[in-house]
Amino acid sequence: MKKTEFDLNGPDVMKLSWLLSNGQVFLLTCTDKEKSVNGIITACWITPTSHDPLLLTASIGNGEKGTEAYRFCHSLIKGTNEFVLNIPTPDLTEAIFKVGTTHSNGVDKFAANGLTPIPGSTIGAPLIAECFMNIECKVIDQLVTGDHTVFVAKPVAAFMDEDVMVNGQFSDKYHDKKNQVQMCDLITMWNMW
């Protein structure tokens, strides 16, 4: 579907903030400085933290504690201070599951999951074409909180499928929880309850 740009300085920015704060699952993409390797992770701990200016936080595993000594995408974000938040719909649930259970340094997650990378407009990390919204973010601050790092990011560009907003409102298709993948859906799939 054709993408249109979302005005991050326009009157609908607070609506975007509310859309992002409802438990939605994200596919977070990142890359290295040379754009030679891409990473994708399933991310659930994403939340707006300011309306003006619009700021988002992403809590990403850093490998500081536990048995895993690294987090590949964490290192990519630290190296570039940027990432893209890609918002999927339930038709991507299988890809979300596979992305969340493999490591980006061991597999090309785009190819393995039938996802199409689109070059970013202002940052190096790719967008995912199959996601209904893509938000390019630059990290402006970070805080280590145990085995995760909370990255505070400023959205610098956002794109959405052309049917996401109708007459200045997010269409029912995208704000109805039946058309979103929620964190509890993944916990159920991973049999973690």
Side-chain angles (χ1 to χ4, degrees):
M1 180 169 289
K2 182 181 175 190
K3 299 278 183 187
T4 60
E5 190 163 2
F6 183 89
D7 183 1
L8 291 170
N9 297 305
D12 295 320
V13 74
M14 189 176 286
K15 293 175 191 171
L16 175 62
S17 178
W18 288 113
L19 179 76
L20 299 177
S21 63
N22 65 6
Q24 174 77 46
V25 171
F26 296 82
L27 290 172
L28 184 148
T29 51
C30 46
T31 192
D32 62 358
K33 288 181 181 179
E34 295 77 29
K35 299 182 191 177
S36 63
V37 63
N38 293 321
I40 309 175
I41 55 174
T42 299
C44 299
W45 290 355
I46 308 292
T47 191
T49 188
S50 172
H51 293 301
D52 186 18
L54 179 60
L55 297 175
L56 308 172
T57 58
S59 184
I60 307 299
N62 58 32
E64 294 295 322
K65 294 184 179 179
T67 58
E68 193 170 343
Y70 68 93
R71 293 281 194 250
F72 185 69
C73 288
H74 179 274
S75 67
L76 293 177
I77 296 168
K78 291 270 300 181
T80 62
N81 284 318
E82 58 187 38
F83 58 84
V84 179
L85 295 174
N86 302 277
I87 308 176
T89 54
D91 59 331
L92 290 175
T93 300
E94 185 175 331
I96 295 165
F97 179 76
K98 288 179 181 176
V99 163
T101 56
T102 57
H103 295 287
S104 293
N105 61 334
V107 64
D108 177 348
K109 291 187 185 183
F110 278 98
N113 294 291
L115 301 174
T116 309
I118 301 173
S121 69
T122 61
I123 66 172
L127 288 61
I128 299 175
E130 291 78 10
C131 291
F132 75 85
M133 183 171 272
N134 318 89
I135 305 167
E136 299 179 22
C137 298
K138 289 200 180 256
V139 174
I140 61 168
D141 203 357
Q142 58 187 283
L143 173 67
V144 175
T145 57
D147 62 357
H148 280 64
T149 299
V150 176
F151 292 102
V152 180
K154 179 170 181 42
V156 293
F159 302 92
M160 61 189 170
D161 289 352
E162 59 190 349
D163 65 342
V164 172
M165 290 198 82
V166 177
N167 298 323
Q169 300 290 324
F170 282 101
S171 67
D172 290 343
K173 178 180 176 181
Y174 296 101
H175 71 76
D176 186 328
K177 288 191 184 270
K178 292 181 294 201
N179 293 318
Q180 301 173 357
V181 180
Q182 302 291 310
M183 185 173 178
C184 59
D185 299 328
L186 292 184
I187 291 170
T188 299
M189 285 181 69
W190 288 328
N191 202 22
M192 295 174 68
W193 285 115

